[in-house]
């Protein structure tokens, strides 16, 4: 034999999948998964060096498993390869050494390498490596091996003992032959001296391991190989995209497969959203130089122009290509939940976390993740608290992108002030965080650009043409800014009205809606909630009988779901209007009713909604025609931005070729309406000075508390980067900005929220414990001292055998003014309380004698704080809800609208979360931490305890949770492992899209919880970087 050194070159090829037909497992069979047919089966009588002797391998298959694919994990471990190569070389050298004379007659049954047709030396697939080669591996354990390889190593040790015994007996090393072995992928072998020689060369150890592991399918693979392969492909594409983005120039427009993202994103857009191509303006916007250079950007388009998709692509690019966290700020809880639900599937497929920050949900600071990025989707209030927590923990550098929807809400009262505070802190604390703002067209967009140091992109694109009309008497006029009067006559209404109809419907609403329904959809915006219900009922009276026949079965299903959601109760108006395909939509509906109505309208079961202006700012529900019943919202004349938002709902992309809006006017409103439909857009102004500077007070408190500023000069320096500073000439007319700052600092000192301290640099501002609790709990400064007194008083005699006392303490102060107690109801509910609960009520300032006198209509001489009385009344409402969880019956008992009760419940859960964070910062309130944690959870869902885990899933309301629980899906784990197709068949009236969203949301929640636990484990097991060294320890001794 030639003893020259031989170099083995291993060529990796796609391995064929194992046979799935041997034994069934509890995993999904191949027949159901539609997987590829196995091209090669492992021989059923194969013997691998005694490891599996005469044992039939049990085979398993997961839905996405491809055991090796184009990837072999063991070959990626350099330490294992080194040991195997050394052992193999030693064995070869031992084989080629001259044999002793006594052994020359012993036949050595080695099979040589055979040349193939292409001249490459290849091993026959029948040859298996003798176990003696593994002897030289010794007892040194492998490091960092997967479980399957550790199991293989243990089996090898046992087999090696058997081989040595056999070798000692036979005086030779003879490998097993496999008479039934099928041909497998070739392994190319290169000889350094280019000589071809027959040898005892055996199959490489890596090949042996691979063959053994393929046939030894006794347990399922710990990780899906197909999933690994997919991840590798996506990672490679992301790497290419990142390199392209680093080298991008102003002339480069192609950043990668899909705007710098892996092609899988494009596939998911098609699969999950049905989006195959982008609009031209979207392509242009994504390729702007400022976007590529990660500069801040404000882009403005009409409603329904597709603004959100651009933001989502930029978010995905930041998450995947730069591995940075992102914050997506939305104005309403419903929008946050909709976006969380829509992006959960992307998170699962592309391996990033989607976390909801709305209402009482959200962890502060967020969980710190080492291996994956997070997308925080938050309301305006939660986003501010989130940014505060990131600044406090020094993690702003990880926040790569902030996206703000409805940026023009900067000019919207106290919520606008919160947006300004949040963005100002991001700008001041992080130079690397990019800010993207989506906005309606504004008159002073330049101010916002200066504030955010941003570029601006504006386009008037709409996927569907919008035609605006106004109606005066029975005439329709088209809006045309080129005309002197802004209106051009279009046509007369063609609908015959009787005298009775004319009295009931003087605005000709019936004529306008029947021109489009039921073939098309229609929205009718009304000035008040009551008017919504009245208009819907009025239209039904004059609709033809054919409307009842349209999708009658689906309407019956909707009514049944409304009844189930109301625990047997249905709104009388909806019971009358739904059979005609009509419904109303406003804040007086419960969350479940709103969700059902929205889904039915989106699916075409309902063809008309009468609604308030809140629908225009909320979830996207477009229509062929939008009718504005009046140019008022309650008693306030419409703003141009509100008008544009409403009429922007006209025209459904992909369904309509045109959208129409009709504004109904009275003669006296004609002149005002001219400014509404033709005037330029309004300006957006800072609201930090609103309500006597409440926003500025809150901002200064948080600046001191977060150590961003500790002196007046530093505060002034920070404020130089706010929108208020940009607009101070218009807003600070009577008092300068500097004077306003000084006044606010003095006021905060008077309230005991900050204090002045003297140090080496002079006087500095420091936050007090009370001040820290206030800003970390996001408690309104108007109520912080009242809350502290109530909590302190509550500790003196906290009632623990009932939750009434705790419920009273977390009843929102700002809802008290909206409540007017019914005294007889108050007295009846008061008498149902236990003696301890009545005593607690008297302790807070509401004695039984007072309630009894008010119920009897008698005058009360003793002064009582009516704020406390009304708050106690609301606490009784919440207390009743927690006991029986039936919102309808509680609303009826207390003579309140179910919508108000729903709002009270939502506000209470959010305020309870705030009070919890408030008490965490004050040592004297330590008992409240555990108590309020559980109460927040109960108020958030207000259902029986067993349904709470299911209610955590976005989109699952109480009635759906009951269906799932009764069907056996009792936990998040059940839901996350559910088959959407099975869910559709099991759960009544659940469509495929809903099932997929529920399962995806459940999977994301489970993934989030598991990742949080894993991060905690990793942190516990990590060696501290500041661990004292032995030398230091000896010196201390």
């Amino acid at each position: 034999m030639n003893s020259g050194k031989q170099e083995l070159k291993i060529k990796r090829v796609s391995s064929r999948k194992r046979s799935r037909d041997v034994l069934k497992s509890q995993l999904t069979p191949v027949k159901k998964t539609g997987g590829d047919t196995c091209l090669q089966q492992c021989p059923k009588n194969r013997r691998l060096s005694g490891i599996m002797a005469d044992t039939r391998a049990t085979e398993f298959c997961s839905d996405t498993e491809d055991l090796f694919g184009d990837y072999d994990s063991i070959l990626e471990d350099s330490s294992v390869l080194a040991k195997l190569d050394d052992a193999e070389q030693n064995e070869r050298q031992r084989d080629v050494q001259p044999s002793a004379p006594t052994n020359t007659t012993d036949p050595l049954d080695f099979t040589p390498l055979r040349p193939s047709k292409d001249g490459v030396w290849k091993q026959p697939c029948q040859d298996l490596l003798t176990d003696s080669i593994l002897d030289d591996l010794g007892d040194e354990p492998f490091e960092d091996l997967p479980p399957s390889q550790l199991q293989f190593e243990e089996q090898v040790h046992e087999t090696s003992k058997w081989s040595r015994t056999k070798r000692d007996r036979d005086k030779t090393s003879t490998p097993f032959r496999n008479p039934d072995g099928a041909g497998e992928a070739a392994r190319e072998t290169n000889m350094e001296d280019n000589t071809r020689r027959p040898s005892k060369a055996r199959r490489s150890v890596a090949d042996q391991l691979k063959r053994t592991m393929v046939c030894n399918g006794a347990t399922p693979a710990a990780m899906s190989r197909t999933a690994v392969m997919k991840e590798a492909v996506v990672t490679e594409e992301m790497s290419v995209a990142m390199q392209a983005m680093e080298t991008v120039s102003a002339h480069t427009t192609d950043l990668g497969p899909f705007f710098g993202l892996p092609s899988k994103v494009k596939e998911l857009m098609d699969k999950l959203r049905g989006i195959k191509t982008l609009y031209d303006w979207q392509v242009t916007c994504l390729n702007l130089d400022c976007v590529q250079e990660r500069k801040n950007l404000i882009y403005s388009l009409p409603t329904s122009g597709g603004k959100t998709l651009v933001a989502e692509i930029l978010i995905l690019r930041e998450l995947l290509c730069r591995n940075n966290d992102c914050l997506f700020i939305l104005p309403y809880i419903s929008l946050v939940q909709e976006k969380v639900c829509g992006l959960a599937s992307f998170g699962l497929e592309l391996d990033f976390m989607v976390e909801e920050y709305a209402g009482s949900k959200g962890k502060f600071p967020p969980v710190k993740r080492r291996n994956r990025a997070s997308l925080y989707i938050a309301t305006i209030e939660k986003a501010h608290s989130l940014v505060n927590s990131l600044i406090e923990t020094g993690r702003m550098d990880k926040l790569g992108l902030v996206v703000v929807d409805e940026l023009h809400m900067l000019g919207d009262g106290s919520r606008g002030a919160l947006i300004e505070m949040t963005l100002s802190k991001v700008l001041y604390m992080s130079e690397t965080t990019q800010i993207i703002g989506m906005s309606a067209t504004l008159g002073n967009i330049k101010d916002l650009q200066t504030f955010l140091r941003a570029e601006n992109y504006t386009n008037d694109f709409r996927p569907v043409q919008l035609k605006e009309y106004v109606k005066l008497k029975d005439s329709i006029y088209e809006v045309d800014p080129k005309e002197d009067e802004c209106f051009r006559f279009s046509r007369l209404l063609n609908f015959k009205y009787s005298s009775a109809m004319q009295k009931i419907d003087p605005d000709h609403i019936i004529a306008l809606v029947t021109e489009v329904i039921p073939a098309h959809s229609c929205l009718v915006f009304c000035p008040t909630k009551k008017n919504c219900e009245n208009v819907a009922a009025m239209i039904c009276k004059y609709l033809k009988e054919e409307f009842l026949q349209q999708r009658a079965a689906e309407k019956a299903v909707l009514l049944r779901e409304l009844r189930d959601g109301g625990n047997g109760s249905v709104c009388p108006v909806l019971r009358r209007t739904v059979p005609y395909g009509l419904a109303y939509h406003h804040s007086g509906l419960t969350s479940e009713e709103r969700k059902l109505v929205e889904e039915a309208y989106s699916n075409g079961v309902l063809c008309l909604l009468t609604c308030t202006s809140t629908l225009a700012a909320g979830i996207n529900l477009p229509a062929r025609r939008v009718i504005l019943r009046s140019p008022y919202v309650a008693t306030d004349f419409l703003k141009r931005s509100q008008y544009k938002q409403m009429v922007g709902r006209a025209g459904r992309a992909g369904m309509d070729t045109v959208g129409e809006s009709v504004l109904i006017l009275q003669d006296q409103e004609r002149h005002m309406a001219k400014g509404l439909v033709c005037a330029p857009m309004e300006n957006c102004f800072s609201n930090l000075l609103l309500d006597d500077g409440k926003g500025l007070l809150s901002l200064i408190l948080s600046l001191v508390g977060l150590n961003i500023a500790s002196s007046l000069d530093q505060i002034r320096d920070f404020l130089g980067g706010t929108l208020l500073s940009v607009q101070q000439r218009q807003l600070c007319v009577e008092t300068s900005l500097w004077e306003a700052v000084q006044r606010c600092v003095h006021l905060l000192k008077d309230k005991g929220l900050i204090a002045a301290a003297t140090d080496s640099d002079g006087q500095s501002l420091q936050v007090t414990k009370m001040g820290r609790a206030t800003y970390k709990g996001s408690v309104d400064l108007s109520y912080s001292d009242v809350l502290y007194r109530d909590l302190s008083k509550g500790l003196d005699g906290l009632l623990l055998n009932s939750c009434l006392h705790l419920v009273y303490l977390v009843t929102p102060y700002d809802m008290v003014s909206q409540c007017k107690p019914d005294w007889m109801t108050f007295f009846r509910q008061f008498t149902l309380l236990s003696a301890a609960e009545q005593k607690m009520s008297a302790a807070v300032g509401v004695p039984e004698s007072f309630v009894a006198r008010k119920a009897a209509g008698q005058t009360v001489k003793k002064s009582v704080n009516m704020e406390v009385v009304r708050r106690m009344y609301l606490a009784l409402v919440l207390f009743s809800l927690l006991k029986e969880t039936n919102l309808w019956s509680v609303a009826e008992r207390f003579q309140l609208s179910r919508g108000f009760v729903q709002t009270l419940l939502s506000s209470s859960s959010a305020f309870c979360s705030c009070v919890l964070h408030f008490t965490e910062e004050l040592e004297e309130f330590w008992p409240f931490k555990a108590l309020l944690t559980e109460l927040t959870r109960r108020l958030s869902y207000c259902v029986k305890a067993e349904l709470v885990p299911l209610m955590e899933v976005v989109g699952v309301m109480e009635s759906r949770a009951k269906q799932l629980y009764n069907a056996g899906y009792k936990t998040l784990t059940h839901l996350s492992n559910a088959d959407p197709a099975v869910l559709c068949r099991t759960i009544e009236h659940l469509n495929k899209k809903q099932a997929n969203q529920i399962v995806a949301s459940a999977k994301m929640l489970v993934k989030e919880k598991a990742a949080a636990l894993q991060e905690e484990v990793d942190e516990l097991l990590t060696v501290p970087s500041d661990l004292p060294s032995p030398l230091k320890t000896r010196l201390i001794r």
Side-chain angles (χ1 to χ4, degrees):
M1 285 180 154
N2 191 343
S3 59
K5 185 177 179 182
Q6 177 179 331
E7 179 185 346
L8 295 179
K9 181 180 178 182
I10 297 173
K11 178 182 178 182
R12 297 183 190 169
V13 296
S14 294
S15 69
R16 295 158 183 160
K17 293 190 178 182
R18 299 173 293 168
S19 173
R20 311 294 171 89
D21 57 353
V22 181
L23 288 178
K24 294 183 179 179
S25 74
Q26 296 182 6
L27 300 175
T28 309
V30 173
K31 292 180 181 179
K32 293 186 179 181
T33 65
D36 296 339
T37 305
C38 294
L39 299 177
Q40 177 181 352
Q41 294 185 359
C42 297
K44 295 177 179 169
N45 297 323
R46 178 179 299 279
R47 291 166 58 86
L48 293 177
S49 304
I51 294 175
M52 297 175 62
D54 301 321
T55 303
R56 182 173 179 175
T58 304
E59 299 185 4
F60 294 81
C61 165
S62 70
D63 286 350
T64 59
E65 181 188 5
D66 181 354
L67 189 57
F68 290 104
D70 289 322
Y71 177 81
D72 193 336
S73 62
I74 195 169
L75 298 181
E76 297 299 304
D77 192 331
S78 59
S79 63
V80 177
L81 270 180
K83 294 176 183 178
L84 296 181
D85 288 343
D86 290 342
E88 188 167 11
Q89 291 298 330
N90 291 339
E91 180 64 12
R92 294 187 188 286
Q93 293 174 8
R94 191 163 58 237
D95 288 342
V96 300
Q97 289 176 358
S99 301
T102 55
N103 294 335
T104 54
T105 57
D106 292 346
L108 298 178
D109 190 13
F110 285 178
T111 305
L113 291 171
R114 301 189 184 98
S116 65
K117 294 179 181 180
D118 57 4
V120 179
W121 288 88
K122 299 185 179 181
Q123 279 184 298
C125 64
Q126 292 90 342
D127 294 331
L128 298 178
L129 177 68
T130 179
D131 298 303
S132 64
I133 290 180
L134 298 171
D135 295 348
D136 291 335
L137 293 178
D139 296 327
E140 183 181 350
F142 292 100
E143 297 180 0
D144 301 324
L145 288 181
S148 61
Q149 296 176 25
L150 289 174
Q151 182 182 2
F152 175 80
E153 182 194 4
E154 293 169 0
Q155 293 172 333
V156 164
H157 283 308
E158 296 178 4
T159 309
S160 297
K161 295 177 183 178
W162 175 83
S163 295
R164 284 194 293 271
T165 303
K166 188 179 189 302
R167 185 167 62 247
D168 292 339
R169 183 177 66 252
D170 297 340
K171 306 298 183 183
T172 186
S173 180
T174 307
F176 278 98
R177 291 185 178 273
N178 178 19
D180 302 323
E184 65 174 357
R187 301 288 190 255
E188 293 182 4
T189 307
N190 295 331
M191 311 289 288
E192 279 191 0
D193 55 0
N194 294 322
T195 59
R196 298 180 182 177
R197 60 180 177 81
S199 71
K200 300 175 186 177
R202 301 163 178 79
R203 181 177 308 279
S204 70
V205 177
D207 223 11
Q208 161 77 349
L209 288 175
K210 187 168 181 177
R211 168 71 67 168
T212 303
M213 293 176 73
V214 169
C215 297
N216 190 25
T219 57
M223 186 174 183
S224 167
R225 300 299 180 188
T226 300
V228 173
M229 286 302 301
K230 288 179 179 177
E231 182 179 352
V233 172
V234 173
T235 302
E236 183 178 354
E237 287 191 348
M238 283 192 282
S239 178
V240 172
M242 283 189 285
Q243 292 175 8
M245 293 174 74
E246 289 172 0
T247 59
V248 67
S249 69
H251 304 290
T252 304
T253 56
D254 185 9
L255 302 181
F258 183 66
F259 298 101
L261 287 164
S263 55
K264 185 174 182 180
V265 176
K266 185 176 182 180
E267 296 169 6
L268 289 173
M269 286 290 180
D270 186 10
K271 176 183 175 183
L272 301 176
R273 303 276 184 83
I275 298 173
K276 298 183 183 295
T277 58
L278 272 61
Y279 296 129
D280 290 343
W281 82 262
Q282 292 172 328
V283 175
T284 302
C285 186
L286 287 167
N287 287 320
L288 290 172
D289 289 346
C290 63
V291 173
Q292 307 308 328
E293 296 165 8
R294 297 191 75 250
K295 293 181 180 178
N296 297 343
L297 173 70
I298 301 170
Y299 61 99
S300 308
L301 279 98
T303 303
S304 303
K307 296 191 293 289
T308 307
L309 179 59
V310 170
E312 289 176 352
I313 291 174
L314 294 175
I315 286 171
L316 291 175
R317 192 154 68 181
E318 195 71 27
L319 290 167
L320 303 180
C321 297
R322 298 189 180 91
N323 197 34
N324 284 330
D325 296 334
C326 297
L327 171 60
F328 197 172
I329 304 176
L330 296 161
Y332 304 110
I333 293 177
S334 60
L335 291 178
V336 169
Q337 293 175 339
E338 181 188 22
K339 194 55 64 181
V340 168
C341 198
L343 290 174
S345 297
F346 285 89
L348 292 173
E349 292 284 347
L350 300 171
D351 195 30
F352 63 85
M353 307 303 298
V354 179
E355 302 182 38
E356 178 183 351
Y357 281 77
S360 61
K361 292 185 178 180
K363 184 176 177 61
F364 302 103
V367 176
K368 189 175 182 179
R369 309 189 190 280
R370 293 182 178 88
N371 301 323
R372 56 171 61 90
S374 293
L375 169 58
Y376 311 117
I377 304 179
T379 56
I380 294 168
E381 294 78 10
K382 288 290 183 178
H384 184 234
S385 299
L386 180 64
V387 168
N388 283 346
S389 69
L390 291 175
I391 293 172
E392 188 172 32
T393 53
R395 289 164 55 187
M396 278 299 293
D397 59 329
K398 183 62 176 170
L399 185 64
L401 176 65
V402 175
V403 175
V404 186
D405 193 13
E406 311 291 354
L407 183 64
H408 53 269
M409 287 187 71
L410 273 165
D412 186 17
S414 59
R415 303 192 83 207
L418 277 177
I419 298 175
E420 184 175 350
M421 285 188 262
T422 303
L423 296 180
S424 297
K425 289 173 183 175
V426 172
L427 288 165
Y428 191 83
M429 296 302 297
S430 175
E431 294 180 356
T432 59
T433 303
Q434 184 183 17
I435 296 176
I436 302 292
M438 296 180 281
S439 172
T441 305
L442 294 173
N444 63 338
I445 196 73
K446 290 289 185 183
D447 285 355
L448 270 62
Q449 283 183 253
T450 305
F451 163 46
L452 296 178
R453 306 161 211 164
E455 304 277 343
N456 175 238
Y457 176 81
T458 303
N459 196 302
D460 58 359
F461 171 83
R462 274 186 57 90
V464 178
Q465 181 187 2
L466 172 64
K467 293 184 177 180
E468 298 178 44
Y469 300 94
V470 298
K471 188 194 81 72
L472 281 164
K473 297 182 178 178
D474 61 350
S475 300
I476 305 293
Y477 297 84
E478 186 173 356
V479 175
D480 186 356
K482 297 177 183 178
E483 295 285 329
D484 292 337
E485 294 297 318
C486 275
F487 308 130
R488 185 179 67 248
F489 178 78
S490 177
R491 62 186 176 91
L492 291 172
L493 278 175
N494 185 21
F495 192 90
K496 293 182 179 180
Y497 270 78
S498 64
S499 57
M501 282 184 66
Q502 187 68 39
K503 291 180 181 178
I504 295 175
D505 182 25
D507 294 324
H508 307 99
I509 295 175
I510 296 173
L512 291 171
V513 301
T514 51
E515 288 179 346
V516 291
I517 64 170
H520 302 284
S521 56
C522 183
L523 293 175
V524 181
F525 285 100
C526 302
T528 65
K529 290 184 285 188
K530 189 62 179 175
N531 192 237
C532 286
E533 299 175 32
N534 292 339
V535 169
M538 182 264 297
I539 294 173
C540 285
K541 290 181 180 180
Y542 296 98
L543 291 181
K544 298 178 181 178
E545 293 295 318
E546 300 90 85
F547 281 84
L548 295 172
Q549 310 305 320
Q550 299 276 342
R551 306 181 74 161
E554 292 167 279
K555 293 171 186 173
V557 168
L558 174 59
L559 281 173
R560 188 157 61 248
E561 289 178 329
L562 287 168
R563 187 176 295 108
D564 292 341
N567 291 306
S569 302
V570 182
C571 169
V573 177
L574 291 178
R575 189 189 301 121
R576 174 176 174 77
T577 61
V578 166
Y580 287 91
L582 277 64
Y584 65 88
H585 184 289
H586 57 60
S587 60
L589 295 173
T590 66
S591 298
E592 189 146 4
E593 284 177 314
R594 280 201 300 273
K595 183 176 176 60
L596 289 171
V597 167
E598 288 165 0
E599 287 178 353
Y601 179 81
S602 297
N603 296 330
V605 177
L606 297 176
C607 59
L608 184 144
L609 293 181
T610 57
C611 50
T612 54
S613 59
T614 53
L615 184 139
I619 191 168
N620 186 23
L621 295 175
R624 173 64 174 269
R625 176 176 288 180
V626 169
I627 300 170
L628 279 67
R629 167 75 175 74
S630 165
Y632 289 89
V633 173
T635 57
D636 299 325
F637 197 78
L638 276 177
K639 297 178 183 176
R640 178 158 171 78
S641 58
Q642 291 174 314
Y643 168 78
K644 279 295 185 182
Q645 209 165 38
M646 292 180 187
V647 301
R649 295 299 182 196
R652 299 168 297 171
M655 300 179 68
D656 296 326
T657 56
V658 66
E660 302 171 341
S661 69
V662 181
L663 171 62
I664 299 175
L665 298 174
Q666 308 303 322
D667 286 333
Q668 65 271 22
E669 298 164 347
R670 181 167 184 158
H671 180 70
M672 295 174 67
K674 180 180 176 181
L676 179 64
V677 299
C678 295
M681 294 298 292
E682 298 120 336
N683 293 332
C684 174
F685 291 106
S686 170
N687 279 277
L688 287 179
L689 295 179
L690 188 71
D691 292 340
D692 203 24
K694 183 185 290 186
L696 187 58
L697 278 168
S698 179
L699 175 59
I700 293 174
L701 175 62
S702 64
L703 291 180
V704 176
L706 293 168
N707 294 320
I708 296 174
S710 58
S711 67
L712 286 172
D713 288 337
Q714 290 177 339
I715 293 173
R716 179 165 55 182
D717 180 52
F718 179 93
L719 289 175
T722 61
L723 180 62
L724 175 59
S725 175
V726 175
Q727 299 175 333
Q728 60 179 314
R729 288 186 178 180
Q730 299 105 301
L731 301 178
C732 301
V733 178
E734 298 179 359
T735 306
S736 70
L737 179 56
W738 176 240
E739 291 173 338
V741 169
Q742 291 178 311
R743 184 184 64 81
C744 288
V745 169
H746 286 305
L747 188 56
L748 289 172
K749 287 180 181 178
D750 293 342
K751 283 178 168 286
L753 300 178
I754 62 173
T758 305
D759 54 22
S760 57
D761 297 328
Q763 272 204 342
S764 64
L765 299 174
Q766 294 180 353
V767 70
T768 63
K769 289 184 177 180
M770 179 69 172
R772 185 176 302 278
T774 300
Y775 87 78
K776 291 194 76 170
S778 300
V779 176
D780 192 312
L781 295 180
S782 307
Y783 305 125
S784 59
D785 53 345
V786 180
L787 176 62
Y788 184 86
R789 287 198 301 269
D790 286 345
L791 292 172
S792 299
K793 190 176 180 180
L795 275 181
D796 295 337
L798 188 61
L799 182 65
L800 294 177
N801 61 356
S802 166
C803 66
L804 178 60
H805 199 171
L806 284 174
V807 168
Y808 171 79
L809 291 174
V810 300
T811 300
Y813 294 102
D814 55 359
M815 290 203 68
V816 171
S817 60
Q818 303 176 40
C819 169
K820 187 177 180 181
D822 178 271
W823 296 110
M824 281 304 298
T825 302
F826 199 165
F827 181 69
R828 280 195 298 267
Q829 295 304 310
F830 196 95
T831 56
L832 295 176
L833 299 176
S834 66
E837 289 166 343
Q838 290 184 3
K839 184 178 179 182
M840 167 257 144
S841 178
V844 300
V846 188
E848 181 183 13
S849 58
F850 171 79
V851 180
R853 285 180 176 276
K854 294 295 287 186
Q858 300 175 4
T859 57
V860 180
K861 296 180 180 179
K862 188 177 179 181
S863 62
V864 175
N865 188 336
M866 288 305 297
E867 294 288 312
V868 174
V869 173
R870 285 194 287 267
R871 193 172 182 222
M872 189 67 204
Y873 187 74
L874 292 179
L876 286 176
V877 175
L878 292 169
F879 184 58
S880 299
L881 266 177
L882 291 178
K883 285 197 297 185
E884 59 184 271
T885 72
N886 189 334
L887 191 147
W888 280 76
S889 62
V890 171
E892 185 177 354
R893 183 183 313 143
F894 285 87
Q895 298 184 23
L896 298 169
S897 74
R898 62 191 185 282
F900 176 82
V901 176
Q902 178 79 70
T903 303
L904 173 65
L905 185 62
S906 301
S907 299
S908 299
S909 66
F911 186 61
C912 187
S913 177
C914 293
V915 176
L916 172 60
H917 293 305
F918 181 88
T919 57
E920 285 175 340
E921 299 300 319
L922 299 166
E923 294 177 2
E924 60 266 36
F925 293 144
W926 65 266
F928 285 114
K929 182 175 180 181
L931 296 171
L932 293 179
T933 300
E934 178 58 26
L935 183 60
T936 301
R937 183 178 169 90
R938 291 183 63 187
L939 287 171
S940 296
Y941 305 108
C942 196
V943 294
K944 293 181 179 178
E946 62 266 23
L947 298 181
V948 169
L950 300 177
M951 294 285 287
E952 290 180 11
V953 179
V954 177
V956 175
M957 308 303 285
E958 184 179 1
S959 60
R960 183 72 76 205
K962 289 177 181 177
Q963 285 181 307
L964 292 167
Y965 188 87
N966 293 333
Y969 299 97
K970 300 185 178 182
T971 65
L972 268 180
T973 309
H974 284 130
L975 267 187
S976 65
N977 289 283
D979 183 345
V982 176
L983 271 183
C984 289
R985 294 194 298 270
T986 307
I987 306 300
E988 192 176 13
H989 312 313
L990 182 70
N991 60 46
K992 185 178 179 181
K993 180 181 177 182
Q994 292 170 332
N996 284 325
Q997 288 180 338
I998 287 173
V999 173
S1001 297
K1003 283 183 177 179
M1004 180 55 69
L1005 272 175
V1006 169
K1007 185 178 178 181
E1008 184 181 329
K1009 292 174 184 287
L1013 292 173
Q1014 186 60 52
E1015 292 291 339
E1016 190 174 343
V1017 170
D1018 291 344
E1019 188 174 346
L1020 287 172
L1021 297 179
T1022 301
V1023 178
S1025 59
D1026 57 349
L1027 184 69
S1029 65
L1031 178 61
K1032 289 182 178 179
T1033 306
R1034 284 198 297 271
L1035 289 174
I1036 292 172
R1037 288 179 182 175

